[in-house]
Amino acid sequence: MSIMNLISGYLASDIRMATPILFAGLGLLIINRSGLLNIGAEGTMLVSTLLAVVGSYYSGSVWVGLLCAVISGALMGLLFAFFTVTVKANQIVIGAALNILGSGLSATLNRIIFGVSTTVTRFDAFTNIKIPLLSDIPLIGGALFNQMIPVYAAFLLVPAISYYLFRTQAGLNLRSVGENPRVADTLGVNVYRLQYMSAIIGSALIAAGGAYLSTGLVSSFSEEMVAGRGYIALAAVVFGKYKPGGVMLASLIFVAGNVLSNILQVSGTPIPYTLLTMIPYVLTVVALAAFAKGAVAPASLGRPYKRG
Amino acid sequence: MRRAKGVYGMRQVACIFKKLKKNTLLHGVISFAAVFVSLLLGMVLIRFMGIDPLAALAALYEGSFSSMKSLLETTVKMTPLLFTGMSYAIAYRCGLTNLGMEGQLYIGAVVGTAVGIYVTGLPGGIHVPLAILGGFIGGGLFGFIAGALKVWFGASEIITTVMLNTIAMNFAEFMVNGPMIEPARSNSQTSPVLESAQIGKLFEGTRAHWGFIIALCFIVLFWLFLWRSKKGYEVRVSGLNRQAAAYSGINIEENILLVMFLAGGLAGLAGCIEILAVQIRMVPSISPGYGFDGIAVALIGNNTPIGIVLGALLFGAFRAGGNRMQMRTQTPISIVNVIQAFVIIAVISSNILLEKLDEKRLKNQKQEG
């Protein structure tokens, strides 16, 4: 029974901790599929972690916090789209600027709103919702069906986005923009509008991941609390071969190592967590080298499209 | 036949160079305007916090330029920025995007620290250069990985360098907590580097050190390599027009490997010298983002030697004066990052507008002619 509990607990925390990365990965996937390469997920998440706390603290409702976070993400997406699609600036540099902006903005606003030394912890946060019957399934029930609403939402988004991308006309249009914007344009797809839309919606999803981080996974904000998850999400998309299911699998695998190291540390087996934290990144570098020739990335990823 | 093609390629390239030179002055003006606008936006933000922006600006100036002491502090903050700025710029000149400066910086710091602690019995005149060389090669090899992955496997250096950053930072943390931890201590830090490996101060009683002079020497080397050597010319041609470069028989792959090694080495020096001259011992967080700052430094400086010095001066002053600003006016120092992001966005978009204007002018000329 204790082994069962251990596995169940392990699975539960893997799913819980993979959720912010899954949100961000799915957001990035949508952005990447439209041909835009946004490395600014880290900055977008940083701003949203703070705004989720601010919204929840002042309104008393975690949902308002989520809304604030999502709006901040949408604005970051709009900013990204304006400079990369309309101005046609280098997407990498704008993404890097978003990361610096997010880091600076979240720390600055935090100090203005909450002061330098205080950490706000008393505000409305997400709580676990137990799904009746399903949560009683042995082994997996507690892990899969006793989670917070954002966790369910993130995992339900996987088939939804998959359906959208590969089974609908709108999804086909989006993918065609990422593969060959000129052909898409000729066929009557509004390339710029789609890129704007996907940057905004994708960034909003990324921000939802940030919101869950500060009002669900833990309930407090601290500077730089995203701690590289925006980069792991970037890795998850590449490792997941630009497919929603792949992104989900990659997020779960990437986090599994961390969870395992936490458990091992608690039980007194000292495996340096720093080495385990490296694993997702090493895997991604290897995957990049292995897949590069197979060209799984959208063909025009990172290239600005100019009409005419 | 081959030779004729080669000549054609070179002539084309010479044309591009001529056009670039004309734009240098204009670029300077634009960078200046972009910085000005970004500062203004930052001041507006500070005003929103209910802080007097002029007082904040005064404190910023006081902490960075007003006295000899603060000026020297600015040079301390400039030193790593000079190196990471050069790192981004040299890769950019070859048509590469090196986002891995932060990781290369950490590897350079680890290797430099290791040489500084574990190589014993050397006089300072040998130990310091050896540790610096170690930092350069360490960072260089780490940069080389991204170059090799690009040339041999076709993996984009943009994503691999981002991933390698985190790998390097975790590796550094592992080393500091494990193999290199100070004996008989449980803090995550190494022993101090031996006195023979420490870089001396420029003036007693200040933090200014010879590393700054070394950085300026590297700026000269950077210029000599890119603008006064055959290899550097090849690198710039590869960056401007890969097809023309290939036509004229330049080995692009070899250049990518070389440049990624040099770029990594330069970023490695940022970390190595920061340890040997300022921090003395390695801790898990030695850089407040000097690696990423390098992007902004190189962008403002249009990837030129003088420009990088000016860019590093600006952001070094921000970092040095930011502390004073926070103490005096309660303006969070993180506002510096916000202003920096504004600067990057402003410079890059004004450059594009400039290009568009150029295109339009060219079109008009064609129509008239």
Side-chain angles (χ1 to χ4, degrees):
Chain A
M1 197 57 203
S2 116
I3 284 282
M4 293 269 276
N5 280 345
L6 198 71
I7 294 175
S8 177
Y10 179 71
L11 205 60
S13 55
D14 190 29
I15 289 173
R16 200 165 55 230
M17 290 183 49
T19 298
I21 297 167
L22 179 57
F23 265 122
L26 291 175
L28 282 175
L29 173 70
I30 291 177
I31 300 174
N32 285 345
R33 279 293 186 175
S34 77
L36 298 174
L37 181 53
N38 182 0
I39 64 162
E42 182 84 4
T44 308
M45 284 177 94
L46 273 168
V47 174
S48 66
T49 47
L50 176 72
L51 283 179
V53 171
V54 171
S56 173
Y57 181 76
Y58 284 107
S59 73
S61 160
V62 69
W63 294 102
V64 176
L66 180 66
L67 186 71
C68 289
V70 166
I71 290 173
S72 80
L75 287 176
M76 291 287 266
L78 181 67
L79 196 71
F80 181 78
F82 175 74
F83 283 106
T84 56
V85 178
T86 304
V87 181
K88 292 184 182 51
N90 184 325
Q91 296 172 13
I92 304 302
V93 177
I94 295 296
L98 282 192
N99 282 335
I100 299 172
L101 181 70
S103 158
L105 211 55
S106 60
T108 308
L109 290 177
N110 176 45
R111 286 175 203 195
I112 295 166
I113 298 171
F114 295 126
V116 178
S117 51
T118 43
T119 311
V120 183
T121 49
R122 297 183 57 161
F123 52 82
D124 190 32
F126 287 108
T127 48
N128 282 14
I129 305 279
K130 214 172 186 171
I131 296 180
L133 293 177
L134 287 174
S135 61
D136 294 331
I137 303 172
L139 200 62
I140 56 165
L144 295 181
F145 301 109
N146 184 13
Q147 298 277 10
M148 298 172 185
I149 289 178
V151 179
Y152 298 127
F155 282 86
L156 287 176
L157 270 173
V158 174
I161 292 177
S162 198
Y163 179 82
Y164 161 73
L165 277 177
F166 300 106
R167 292 276 181 281
T168 66
Q169 181 63 41
L172 179 67
N173 287 350
L174 182 74
R175 285 187 293 134
S176 69
V177 167
E179 295 294 339
N180 194 332
R182 192 156 305 281
V183 169
D185 201 353
T186 320
L187 294 174
V189 176
N190 190 336
V191 174
Y192 292 162
R193 212 189 81 183
L194 258 181
Q195 288 188 325
Y196 259 90
M197 293 287 281
S198 64
I200 292 169
I201 293 171
S203 299
L205 276 181
I206 296 171
Y212 166 73
L213 192 60
S214 62
T215 57
L217 197 59
V218 295
S219 42
S220 67
F221 171 82
S222 56
E223 281 168 26
E224 302 297 325
M225 74 180 296
V226 177
R229 287 184 177 86
Y231 296 121
I232 298 196
L234 204 65
V237 176
V238 179
F239 196 75
K241 294 194 165 186
Y242 297 87
K243 293 200 174 75
V247 174
M248 179 181 80
L249 220 61
S251 317
L252 287 170
I253 293 172
F254 284 178
V255 173
N258 283 1
V259 177
L260 190 65
S261 81
N262 284 347
I263 290 175
L264 289 178
Q265 251 163 359
V266 170
S267 66
T269 323
I271 288 191
Y273 70 96
T274 43
L275 292 185
L276 285 162
T277 319
M278 265 190 226
I279 292 172
Y281 302 97
V282 175
L283 282 178
T284 304
V285 170
V286 172
L288 267 172
F291 300 155
K293 295 260 157 72
V296 280
S300 76
L301 188 61
R303 290 195 206 123
Y305 171 63
K306 201 175 162 203
R307 203 176 268 162
Chain B
M1 194 58 199
R2 258 196 100 133
R3 202 156 158 212
K5 265 184 186 168
V7 169
Y8 173 71
M10 283 300 175
R11 187 180 297 162
Q12 209 180 24
V13 169
C15 253
I16 301 170
F17 275 137
K18 217 177 251 170
K19 201 183 130 203
L20 280 181
K21 216 169 218 171
K22 228 166 79 185
N23 280 342
T24 305
L25 187 75
L26 201 54
H27 185 96
V29 174
I30 280 182
S31 288
F32 189 80
V35 170
F36 185 76
V37 169
S38 308
L39 255 178
L40 217 61
L41 277 174
M43 292 296 129
V44 170
L45 209 63
I46 291 175
R47 183 74 201 81
F48 267 117
M49 300 174 200
I51 297 167
D52 178 11
L54 287 179
L57 198 62
L60 189 74
Y61 170 76
E62 203 177 295
S64 52
F65 289 119
S66 70
S67 68
M68 196 59 188
K69 194 169 170 246
S70 48
L71 203 60
L72 288 176
E73 184 59 25
T74 299
T75 68
V76 173
K77 304 287 187 200
M78 269 179 80
T79 306
L81 296 178
L82 285 169
F83 283 117
T84 53
M86 278 189 276
S87 174
Y88 185 83
I90 199 169
Y92 179 89
R93 287 286 176 188
C94 190
L96 300 166
T97 307
N98 178 20
L99 294 176
M101 283 98 73
E102 193 78 6
Q104 293 146 9
L105 181 153
Y106 270 89
I107 297 295
V110 167
V111 178
T113 312
V115 175
I117 297 174
Y118 302 120
V119 180
T120 54
L122 293 177
I126 299 173
H127 202 176
V128 171
L130 193 69
I132 291 178
L133 185 69
F136 185 83
I137 292 176
L141 289 178
F142 204 67
F144 183 84
I145 295 175
L149 286 170
K150 184 181 181 77
V151 169
W152 295 332
F153 295 99
S156 154
E157 82 281 7
I158 298 167
I159 306 281
T160 55
T161 49
V162 170
M163 299 301 138
L164 287 167
N165 276 341
T166 320
I167 293 175
M169 283 188 256
N170 276 298
F171 176 72
E173 200 173 336
F174 165 72
M175 293 303 278
V176 169
N177 279 304
M180 285 171 68
I181 195 167
E182 187 171 20
R185 293 281 293 268
S186 56
N187 294 8
S188 42
Q189 60 178 35
T190 67
S191 315
V193 295
L194 298 177
E195 212 149 293
S196 56
Q198 293 178 12
I199 295 174
K201 300 276 179 273
L202 276 173
F203 308 101
E204 274 314 310
T206 68
R207 283 175 19 113
H209 54 80
W210 281 96
F212 178 62
I213 307 297
I214 299 173
L216 291 181
C217 293
F218 268 89
I219 287 281
V220 176
L221 288 176
F222 173 81
W223 174 74
L224 283 175
F225 172 73
L226 277 177
W227 281 274
R228 284 294 176 271
S229 79
K230 182 168 170 284
K231 198 80 208 160
Y233 182 77
E234 281 184 23
V235 165
R236 284 184 301 135
V237 173
S238 321
L240 282 172
N241 191 332
R242 244 174 227 179
Q243 267 164 338
Y247 263 144
S248 31
I250 291 172
N251 186 341
I252 294 174
E253 298 193 338
E254 190 191 289
N255 284 339
I256 291 177
L257 292 174
L258 173 74
V259 164
M260 280 313 290
F261 176 78
L262 292 177
L266 286 167
L269 284 181
C272 175
I273 289 180
E274 178 74 6
I275 295 286
L276 300 178
V278 182
Q279 318 239 359
I280 306 303
R281 61 170 94 221
M282 177 98 190
V283 290
S285 56
I286 51 161
S287 157
Y290 287 134
F292 293 109
D293 292 358
I295 303 171
V297 167
L299 268 178
I300 304 185
N302 198 20
N303 302 295
T304 60
I306 303 286
I308 291 169
V309 174
L310 293 176
L313 179 68
L314 179 75
F315 287 120
F318 274 153
R319 289 239 173 259
N323 286 325
R324 180 80 55 107
M325 183 173 72
Q326 180 162 318
M327 275 190 304
R328 182 80 41 92
T329 63
Q330 273 76 51
T331 314
I333 191 169
S334 39
I335 190 91
V336 168
N337 281 341
V338 178
I339 295 176
Q340 197 158 314
F342 288 158
V343 169
I344 296 179
I345 293 173
V347 169
I348 195 158
S349 29
S350 49
N351 276 346
I352 291 191
L353 292 182
L354 189 73
E355 266 171 41
K356 272 196 187 144
L357 251 130
D358 253 18
E359 259 171 47
K360 216 175 231 173
R361 201 181 306 147
L362 228 81
K363 234 183 219 167
N364 285 347
Q365 273 175 359
K366 258 186 203 159
Q367 274 170 1
E368 279 166 24

